[in-house]
Amino acid sequence: GSPLANGKLHLHSSVKRKLADEKGYVFDKRLRYNVRQNESNCRFRDIVVRKEEGFTHVLLSSQTTDNNALTPEIMKEVCRALGNAAADDSKLLLLSSVGTVFCSGLEPSYLIGRLSTDRRKESSRIAEAVRDFVLAFIHFKKPIVVAINGPALGLGASILPLCDVVWASERAWFQTPCAALHLTPSGCSSYTFPQILGVALANEMLFCGRKLTAQEACSRGLISQVFWPTTFNQEVMLRVKEMASCSAVVLEESKCLVRSILIPILEEVNEKECQMLKQLWCSTKGLEALFSYLQNKTHEK
Amino acid sequence: GSPLANGKLHLHSSVKRKLADEKGYVFDKRLRYNVRQNESNCRFRDIVVRKEEGFTHVLLSSQTTDNNALTPEIMKEVCRALGNAAADDSKLLLLSSVGTVFCSGLEPSYLIGRLSTDRRKESSRIAEAVRDFVLAFIHFKKPIVVAINGPALGLGASILPLCDVVWASERAWFQTPCAALHLTPSGCSSYTFPQILGVALANEMLFCGRKLTAQEACSRGLISQVFWPTTFNQEVMLRVKEMASCSAVVLEESKCLVRSILIPILEEVNEKECQMLKQLWCSTKGLEALFSYLQNKTHEK
Amino acid sequence: GSPLANGKLHLHSSVKRKLADEKGYVFDKRLRYNVRQNESNCRFRDIVVRKEEGFTHVLLSSQTTDNNALTPEIMKEVCRALGNAAADDSKLLLLSSVGTVFCSGLEPSYLIGRLSTDRRKESSRIAEAVRDFVLAFIHFKKPIVVAINGPALGLGASILPLCDVVWASERAWFQTPCAALHLTPSGCSSYTFPQILGVALANEMLFCGRKLTAQEACSRGLISQVFWPTTFNQEVMLRVKEMASCSAVVLEESKCLVRSILIPILEEVNEKECQMLKQLWCSTKGLEALFSYLQNKTHEK
């Protein structure tokens, strides 16, 4: 299962077509097709799941959104993949992305579309999807390695401290512009970011939308190593395979020792964060702020 | 309300005169006079409070001590200003200083003077003033941005982690020489410094008086960005204004998410720290150590 | 008691002989002999204890293992030395090592030898020795300064966050290759490493055996200063003597403020970690993994 050969298949959406032209695009589309045929019990639309020797590889590869943005449906697919990986014989999970963007967070146009139709019902439904998505990471017992090939934004950045080993390509950068988007922190970042980055930098990210380069994120502890883009996948695979040669019991028990003390705190924080998001989405003001942000973004293009 | 024009007014104390000669001195003294005339309900002697568009600007500008050192009276003025800012329509608070020193911590000569007269009573009174000053920061619900133009010492450094966004000029440096002064940590630094800087560096600061440059403080997470002294105020104002354009609800709720889990711990730590200070000030040994420190300092000059 | 003169005595073991040839070897063997004769009530075999002006100096100097590796017997000697230092009139404790390696962690050949004879009994005995060793650091009330002259591995690295001020020579490096050794974290590193280094780097150390240079360990907060090897001892002594000139009450109460809030957590983490080690040592698989690691190591030579 080498992910390094370039795919040349017919692509279903125009969004995906441009990704294939990218130099950095290293995932073989043919493999996805095979995986889907072979694993009839785990069909996914916006992620790809590959069983490797000793580990499960989950790749964000959204067909329904640009830039691997998240919708409740995509988050549910990730939850399902994590559930499967928890039960199978893999020792750890590798999470990465197809394309040039790791994950751009919640899809704003989806949010607006849904919240405009039925604010009360949809704000609950989306907040619950976020809550369950984050809980799936909090409760996953095997180590999660994340390989970040490009920008990680919003929820795509804030879940990183819930994973165990986080490596990034030099091309990655990190941003959680919640306040500007009229959003409050999510993914437990209100707790994990101050813990890791210090209160001052965490708040500058959450309140002022401060962008961190891969090197900055590394020197401040959000990630633990930065690799050169051209060899990023090889470097990650080499290390993941070595890690997968360790004892499954030792890996799971070590993670348990590191995490178990934090789980009740993270559960509480996640609950509070999602409650607050629901409240904001339920309010007229919140919706207006999202609208005006999206319009500004369109004008910038 | 631009703070960038140089003031040329008559200055009341000789201490302040030398500050005006400094290149880095950017606060307009005329403005202070206007502020005082306009806001009859908040007259202050050692701080200046300016209502800006969307935020309140509190500046340490001590008339009664050198180098913005703190006395119970000055700390009470800050508490009062924070109380006012909590109740008004500002979205956040900007804290900075007039002069070349951000804040040199508790005034040692004040301490000695008072403790010499009535050790028992004064040790209680001063410890309570410290406790209430620190509590005012712990309980302040809107984001606090601190702009540190110069050295921050003792309590002036240890309250920084209780603030939310902390920016510094290249000229700033940080030191908490408690042990050398026969003092124990204050401002919750016994808890926040190890959390942010790691146990080893926190203790080197608290036990050995290790001095951190602005760059070191930034790379270790005490502050989140260092700016060039000549453009420091503009850079800060630019960012504070942008932050003040965010929703008040989002700012306050985001701060609540980040802080609420820590408040009970910080309250307990603050209580313990102030109890210990009171005990030390109450003891003959504590007073002698302060005396000898002050004498050495005078000899150094 | 200057530790800087080179010793030229007859050395008892061949392991130690090579150390004496090292340029970096600065401990005077004659002194050890004197110390032993003078302090009849604290005879040690694998550590050296020296009473200095205001502080106690404990040096790892193992006669029974290579590279200052730890056995239950050596750990008991350290516990005894800490117990003595807690009761005497010293204000702080300095911990360092004789030789070129600070501490290489638990001795694997000892582990295998003992666990092969009586797995059930010995796994309990060794896990209890580790637990008590770690508890002795958790409960020590005076500040502990550690001077790390060379590599610190496994338990030798993981106890560092339980000490207060941690300085290292440029020659030091840090590694906790637990997973590769079929071991789970110890020394409370499952809690302290994520706190200090961030989750990502802590896990890369614990799961992937990531090695940190002295400079990396400093920039990430595990230690607070790196010194040049040739002047390392002088720099440390200078600072320790200055620290020992502070008030004993202030030092102990400051440490109490910094640590007391963490002690119950550390006790719980230590208990869990040692339970898990005992379980692994009790299992056939665990023993086999240790065996194969040792064999690989021998082949590498």
Side-chain angles (χ1 to χ4, degrees):
Chain A
S2 153
L4 297 164
N6 275 307
K8 276 164 190 155
L9 274 200
H10 169 73
L11 293 167
H12 303 285
S13 86
S14 62
V15 178
K16 292 285 135 186
R17 199 165 299 132
K18 62 173 187 248
L19 296 178
D21 302 335
E22 288 272 347
K23 260 187 176 173
Y25 185 50
V26 290
F27 177 71
D28 190 340
K29 288 283 175 184
R30 280 166 300 188
L31 275 165
R32 173 194 290 173
Y33 191 69
N34 293 336
V35 169
R36 295 218 170 158
Q37 293 227 312
N38 297 337
E39 307 189 2
S40 54
N41 59 332
C42 14
R43 295 181 180 282
F44 297 107
R45 191 184 50 190
D46 294 305
I47 65 171
V48 179
V49 178
R50 293 159 65 183
K51 275 286 301 164
E52 304 281 350
E53 180 80 20
F55 66 96
T56 303
H57 190 173
V58 175
L59 298 107
L60 291 178
S61 170
S62 178
Q63 304 294 309
T64 49
T65 62
D66 284 358
N67 298 322
N68 286 320
L70 298 171
T71 61
E73 289 68 34
I74 299 175
M75 291 189 278
K76 266 174 201 154
E77 287 202 344
V78 175
C79 290
R80 200 146 51 86
L82 263 65
N84 293 345
D88 71 16
D89 64 345
S90 60
K91 296 179 185 173
L92 57 93
L93 187 125
L94 172 61
L95 179 64
S96 68
S97 287
V98 173
T100 52
V101 173
F102 173 70
C103 173
S104 59
L106 290 175
E107 172 61 52
S109 58
Y110 178 96
L111 281 178
I112 287 177
R114 292 307 179 101
L115 295 171
S116 309
T117 56
D118 186 342
R119 219 157 61 197
R120 186 171 296 268
K121 195 185 118 196
E122 291 294 319
S123 62
S124 278
R125 192 182 67 91
I126 302 172
E128 266 166 44
V130 172
R131 191 195 60 193
D132 293 346
F133 176 68
V134 174
L135 269 181
F137 282 87
I138 294 173
H139 290 153
F140 195 72
K141 290 195 163 71
K142 300 172 183 178
I144 302 176
V145 177
V146 196
I148 303 158
N149 55 310
L153 291 146
L155 195 52
S158 57
I159 54 160
L160 299 178
L162 304 177
C163 303
D164 301 292
V165 176
V166 191
W167 290 314
S169 150
E170 189 77 41
R171 275 189 195 143
W173 49 266
F174 305 86
Q175 197 179 23
T176 53
C178 342
L181 269 155
H182 197 80
L183 292 179
T184 45
S186 60
C188 294
S189 59
S190 67
Y191 177 77
T192 59
F193 274 31
Q195 281 275 326
I196 293 173
L197 306 167
V199 161
L201 182 56
N203 282 322
E204 199 183 349
M205 288 190 74
L206 299 173
F207 290 136
C208 315
R210 163 88 178 268
K211 206 191 260 194
L212 288 191
T213 64
Q215 289 295 351
E216 286 170 332
C218 187
S219 74
R220 302 300 283 269
L222 190 61
I223 63 175
S224 70
Q225 227 170 137
V226 181
F227 295 101
W228 201 241
T230 45
T231 53
F232 180 54
N233 283 293
Q234 287 109 310
E235 298 280 7
V236 167
M237 280 301 165
L238 199 79
R239 282 161 176 79
V240 167
K241 279 169 188 166
E242 209 182 308
M243 213 172 141
S245 72
C246 293
S247 146
V249 174
V250 167
L251 289 174
E252 196 164 324
E253 292 297 343
S254 296
K255 172 156 182 172
C256 177
L257 283 168
V258 169
R259 294 287 179 173
S260 59
I261 214 165
L262 289 175
I263 289 177
I265 299 170
L266 295 174
E267 286 171 342
E268 188 195 328
V269 170
N270 184 37
E271 197 65 45
K272 276 188 195 168
E273 286 180 347
C274 292
Q275 279 294 333
M276 186 47 57
L277 284 178
K278 191 179 136 186
Q279 269 183 45
L280 288 172
W281 287 332
C282 226
S283 73
T284 326
K285 246 189 166 176
L287 219 57
E288 276 167 9
L290 262 178
F291 260 117
S292 73
Y293 172 82
L294 259 202
Q295 277 177 329
N296 288 339
K297 236 190 149 179
T298 316
H299 286 310
E300 276 171 27
K301 290 174 188 171
Chain B
S2 153
L4 296 164
N6 275 307
K8 275 163 190 157
L9 275 199
H10 170 72
L11 292 167
H12 304 283
S13 86
S14 63
V15 179
K16 292 285 136 186
R17 199 165 299 131
K18 63 173 187 251
L19 296 178
D21 301 336
E22 289 272 346
K23 261 187 176 173
Y25 186 51
V26 290
F27 177 71
D28 190 341
K29 288 284 176 186
R30 280 165 298 186
L31 275 165
R32 173 192 291 173
Y33 191 68
N34 293 337
V35 169
R36 296 219 170 158
Q37 293 228 311
N38 296 337
E39 307 189 1
S40 55
N41 58 333
C42 14
R43 294 183 181 282
F44 298 107
R45 189 184 51 189
D46 294 306
I47 64 171
V48 179
V49 177
R50 293 159 65 183
K51 276 286 301 165
E52 304 281 349
E53 179 80 19
F55 66 95
T56 303
H57 190 174
V58 174
L59 299 105
L60 292 177
S61 169
S62 178
Q63 305 295 308
T64 50
T65 62
D66 284 358
N67 299 321
N68 286 321
L70 298 171
T71 61
E73 289 69 34
I74 300 175
M75 291 189 277
K76 268 175 201 153
E77 288 202 344
V78 174
C79 291
R80 200 146 52 86
L82 263 65
N84 292 345
D88 70 17
D89 63 346
S90 60
K91 295 180 186 173
L92 57 93
L93 187 125
L94 172 62
L95 179 64
S96 69
S97 288
V98 173
T100 53
V101 173
F102 173 70
C103 172
S104 59
L106 290 175
E107 172 62 52
S109 57
Y110 178 96
L111 280 177
I112 288 176
R114 293 306 180 102
L115 294 171
S116 309
T117 56
D118 186 343
R119 219 156 61 198
R120 185 171 296 268
K121 196 184 119 198
E122 291 294 320
S123 63
S124 278
R125 193 183 66 92
I126 303 172
E128 266 165 44
V130 172
R131 191 195 58 191
D132 293 346
F133 176 68
V134 173
L135 269 181
F137 282 87
I138 294 173
H139 290 153
F140 195 73
K141 289 194 164 70
K142 299 171 183 179
I144 303 176
V145 177
V146 197
I148 304 158
N149 56 310
L153 291 147
L155 196 52
S158 57
I159 53 159
L160 299 179
L162 304 177
C163 304
D164 300 293
V165 176
V166 191
W167 290 315
S169 150
E170 187 78 41
R171 276 191 194 142
W173 49 266
F174 305 86
Q175 196 179 24
T176 52
C178 342
L181 268 156
H182 198 81
L183 292 179
T184 45
S186 60
C188 294
S189 59
S190 67
Y191 177 78
T192 59
F193 274 31
Q195 282 276 327
I196 292 173
L197 305 167
V199 162
L201 182 56
N203 282 322
E204 199 183 350
M205 288 189 74
L206 300 172
F207 290 135
C208 314
R210 163 89 178 266
K211 204 192 263 195
L212 289 191
T213 64
Q215 289 294 352
E216 285 169 331
C218 187
S219 74
R220 303 300 285 267
L222 190 61
I223 63 174
S224 70
Q225 227 170 137
V226 181
F227 295 101
W228 201 242
T230 44
T231 52
F232 180 55
N233 283 293
Q234 287 110 310
E235 299 280 6
V236 167
M237 281 300 165
L238 199 78
R239 282 161 176 80
V240 166
K241 280 170 188 164
E242 209 182 309
M243 213 173 141
S245 72
C246 294
S247 145
V249 174
V250 167
L251 289 174
E252 195 165 324
E253 292 297 343
S254 295
K255 172 157 182 171
C256 177
L257 282 168
V258 169
R259 294 286 179 176
S260 59
I261 215 166
L262 288 175
I263 289 177
I265 300 170
L266 295 173
E267 286 171 342
E268 188 195 327
V269 170
N270 184 37
E271 197 64 46
K272 277 188 193 167
E273 285 181 348
C274 292
Q275 278 294 334
M276 186 46 57
L277 284 178
K278 190 180 137 186
Q279 269 183 45
L280 288 171
W281 287 331
C282 227
S283 72
T284 328
K285 247 189 167 178
L287 220 57
E288 277 167 9
L290 262 179
F291 260 118
S292 73
Y293 171 83
L294 258 203
Q295 278 176 330
N296 287 340
K297 235 190 149 180
T298 315
H299 285 310
E300 276 171 27
K301 291 173 189 172
Chain C
S2 155
L4 297 164
N6 276 307
K8 276 165 189 156
L9 274 199
H10 171 72
L11 292 167
H12 303 285
S13 87
S14 63
V15 179
K16 293 285 135 187
R17 198 164 300 131
K18 62 173 188 253
L19 296 179
D21 301 336
E22 288 272 348
K23 261 186 175 175
Y25 186 51
V26 290
F27 177 71
D28 191 341
K29 288 285 175 185
R30 282 165 298 189
L31 275 166
R32 172 192 293 172
Y33 191 69
N34 294 336
V35 169
R36 295 219 171 156
Q37 293 228 311
N38 296 336
E39 307 189 1
S40 55
N41 59 333
C42 13
R43 295 183 179 281
F44 298 106
R45 189 184 50 188
D46 295 305
I47 64 171
V48 179
V49 177
R50 293 160 65 183
K51 276 286 302 165
E52 304 281 349
E53 180 80 19
F55 66 96
T56 303
H57 190 174
V58 175
L59 298 105
L60 291 178
S61 169
S62 177
Q63 305 294 309
T64 50
T65 61
D66 284 359
N67 298 322
N68 286 320
L70 298 171
T71 62
E73 289 68 34
I74 300 175
M75 291 189 278
K76 267 175 200 153
E77 288 202 344
V78 174
C79 290
R80 200 146 51 86
L82 263 65
N84 292 344
D88 70 16
D89 64 346
S90 60
K91 295 179 187 174
L92 56 94
L93 187 124
L94 172 62
L95 178 64
S96 68
S97 288
V98 173
T100 53
V101 174
F102 174 70
C103 173
S104 59
L106 290 176
E107 172 60 53
S109 58
Y110 178 96
L111 280 177
I112 288 177
R114 292 307 179 100
L115 294 172
S116 309
T117 56
D118 187 342
R119 217 156 62 197
R120 185 172 297 267
K121 196 184 118 198
E122 291 293 320
S123 62
S124 278
R125 193 182 66 92
I126 303 172
E128 266 165 43
V130 172
R131 192 195 58 193
D132 294 346
F133 176 69
V134 174
L135 270 180
F137 282 87
I138 294 173
H139 291 154
F140 195 73
K141 289 195 164 71
K142 300 170 183 179
I144 303 177
V145 177
V146 197
I148 303 158
N149 56 311
L153 291 147
L155 196 51
S158 56
I159 54 159
L160 299 178
L162 304 176
C163 304
D164 301 293
V165 176
V166 191
W167 289 314
S169 149
E170 188 78 39
R171 275 190 194 143
W173 49 266
F174 305 86
Q175 196 178 24
T176 53
C178 342
L181 269 156
H182 198 81
L183 292 179
T184 44
S186 60
C188 294
S189 59
S190 66
Y191 177 78
T192 60
F193 275 31
Q195 281 276 327
I196 293 172
L197 305 167
V199 161
L201 183 56
N203 281 323
E204 200 183 349
M205 289 190 73
L206 300 172
F207 290 136
C208 315
R210 163 88 179 267
K211 206 191 261 192
L212 289 190
T213 64
Q215 289 295 351
E216 285 170 331
C218 187
S219 75
R220 302 300 284 270
L222 191 60
I223 63 175
S224 70
Q225 226 170 137
V226 180
F227 296 101
W228 201 242
T230 43
T231 53
F232 180 54
N233 283 293
Q234 287 108 309
E235 299 280 6
V236 168
M237 281 301 165
L238 198 79
R239 282 162 177 78
V240 167
K241 279 170 188 164
E242 208 182 310
M243 213 172 141
S245 72
C246 294
S247 146
V249 174
V250 167
L251 289 174
E252 196 165 324
E253 292 296 343
S254 295
K255 171 156 182 172
C256 176
L257 283 168
V258 169
R259 294 286 179 175
S260 60
I261 214 166
L262 289 175
I263 289 177
I265 300 171
L266 295 173
E267 286 171 341
E268 188 195 329
V269 170
N270 184 36
E271 197 65 45
K272 276 188 194 169
E273 285 180 348
C274 292
Q275 278 295 334
M276 186 46 58
L277 284 178
K278 190 179 137 187
Q279 269 183 45
L280 288 172
W281 287 332
C282 225
S283 72
T284 328
K285 248 190 166 176
L287 220 57
E288 276 167 10
L290 262 178
F291 259 118
S292 72
Y293 172 83
L294 258 202
Q295 277 176 328
N296 287 339
K297 235 189 150 181
T298 316
H299 286 309
E300 276 171 26
K301 291 172 189 171

